[in-house]
Amino acid sequence: MTRACLPPHADVTPPSFAAPAGACDCHAHVFGPYAEFPLDEDRSYTPPENGAERFIQHLDRLGLSRGVLVTASAQGDDNRNVVAALRAYPDRLRAVAVVRAGIGDAELDALTEAGVRGARFNLYKHEGKAVYRNGVGLADFEALAPRLKERGWHAQIWVHAPDLPELSSTLLKPGIDLVVDHMGRMNTARGVEDAGFRYLCELMRAGRAWAKISGADRNTASGPPYADITPFAQALLRANPQQVVWGTDWPHINYYEAAKVPDDGALLNLLGEWLADENARRQVLVDNPARLYGFSG
């Protein structure tokens, strides 16, 4: 049984600062139109349709130039709607796809040509059990990593940071760039001294991992304005500001109460608080995404 998610806010808090030219929302999803791109039958949730045009409107409302789309678990390994978005907005969008070990080289090459620059692997568990159905796991990572590395892709890892030390030998062995989703999906109650979170920071300091400072709304224990997230974001920025990117997680799947759906303008303003310096904002919003996702100009 799946649950129907709510749509994102139509109105957002105005940004408190002007984003630099080329600024990028590095984590978002698009869904539909379902008549053309249906969801996978084996899924954990049912999001409303929010296609590429609505995502572009989201970027424009926030004053952002670029975006990175991530194929969501509700789509399985069907990347067609993401590829359609890339082809509609080739200068503004890049993507992270979901692929399995059996994918052919020609299909990987076609995804690369369309603007895919990474593959997402779902290793996120709660009490030892996968949180979302339909994810691509560690066995596929091991099989695919050399082929992805040949094409300049990175591996985006959806994982709980406390699980990283145990997984690290497998994840680090291929030498492919690793991007850890949503600050390691840290429950703030564990604190920044959590061994797994400290390990993530160590990997970043050594240049062996990236982090997305996204998911404030998912990691918080206190709710908006997400003050308990600030120490985690700041720790990651201190660890290696050259290997941090930011995203909203639009359109915020898996929310079922309107009051809890995040305000994307407030999320951007929170980033502005973390990065008061304009040069630091440019690095995280423009320079780092350009390097990781291959944006030019």
Side-chain angles (χ1 to χ4, degrees):
M1 180 177 179
T2 65
R3 299 178 67 190
C5 309
L6 292 171
H9 284 299
D11 298 315
V12 300
T13 298
S16 60
F17 66 95
C24 187
D25 179 345
C26 294
H27 194 103
H29 310 284
V30 290
F31 298 100
Y34 291 148
E36 187 175 1
F37 307 118
L39 297 173
D40 196 278
E41 291 187 5
D42 181 22
R43 61 184 187 273
S44 304
Y45 56 88
T46 299
E49 290 188 353
N50 280 284
E53 290 184 5
R54 288 185 180 175
F55 178 58
I56 293 297
Q57 292 169 5
H58 154 83
L59 293 178
D60 291 344
R61 278 197 301 268
L62 296 181
L64 304 175
S65 308
R66 298 165 174 166
V68 176
L69 300 174
V70 180
T71 300
S73 64
Q75 296 164 277
D77 58 358
D78 184 351
N79 301 290
R80 290 178 301 152
N81 73 324
V82 168
V83 169
L86 293 173
R87 289 178 174 155
Y89 300 96
D91 296 329
R92 298 190 70 176
L93 301 181
R94 295 291 184 270
V96 175
V98 172
V99 294
R100 301 185 188 276
I103 190 171
D105 285 340
E107 187 174 352
L108 280 178
D109 291 339
L111 290 171
T112 305
E113 186 276 332
V116 174
R117 295 295 179 264
R120 193 187 203 197
F121 298 92
N122 190 339
L123 310 182
Y124 179 49
K125 295 181 179 180
H126 180 69
E127 296 181 350
K129 296 181 180 179
V131 175
Y132 292 103
R133 299 202 299 272
N134 232 352
V136 172
L138 205 57
D140 288 277
F141 168 84
E142 292 182 278
L144 282 165
R147 300 168 66 199
L148 303 183
K149 186 179 179 182
E150 287 175 1
R151 291 164 172 81
W153 288 27
H154 62 268
Q156 181 171 310
I157 309 298
W158 179 213
V159 65
H160 193 203
D163 294 334
L164 272 174
E166 181 181 350
L167 296 169
S168 63
S169 60
T170 300
L171 294 175
L172 295 172
K173 183 177 180 180
I176 189 172
D177 284 339
L178 302 177
V179 181
V180 176
D181 268 356
H182 300 330
M183 298 185 266
R185 192 57 173 87
M186 284 300 301
N187 183 327
T188 58
R190 298 181 72 103
V192 293
E193 294 305 314
D194 175 88
F197 185 74
R198 289 203 319 270
Y199 184 70
L200 171 58
C201 291
E202 290 169 9
L203 290 177
M204 293 179 64
R205 275 191 289 271
R208 305 190 75 184
W210 294 64
K212 288 191 178 184
I213 49 173
S214 55
D217 52 292
R218 300 194 182 278
N219 297 358
T220 186
S222 61
Y226 313 118
D228 57 337
I229 298 299
T230 294
F232 293 87
Q234 291 177 335
L236 295 171
L237 288 164
R238 284 194 303 270
N240 193 339
Q242 295 183 342
Q243 301 214 166
V244 172
V245 292
W246 168 88
T248 58
D249 201 19
W250 185 94
H252 306 292
I253 55 180
N254 255 356
Y255 279 94
Y256 309 99
E257 298 178 38
K260 294 186 177 180
V261 178
D263 176 337
D264 292 304
L267 292 175
L268 180 60
N269 291 341
L270 183 62
L271 177 69
E273 295 174 14
W274 296 338
L275 298 170
D277 179 75
E278 289 186 10
N279 290 330
R281 289 176 186 167
R282 184 175 297 106
Q283 182 171 56
V284 170
L285 285 171
V286 183
D287 299 342
N288 295 350
R291 181 159 52 97
L292 183 61
Y293 299 107
F295 287 107
S296 60

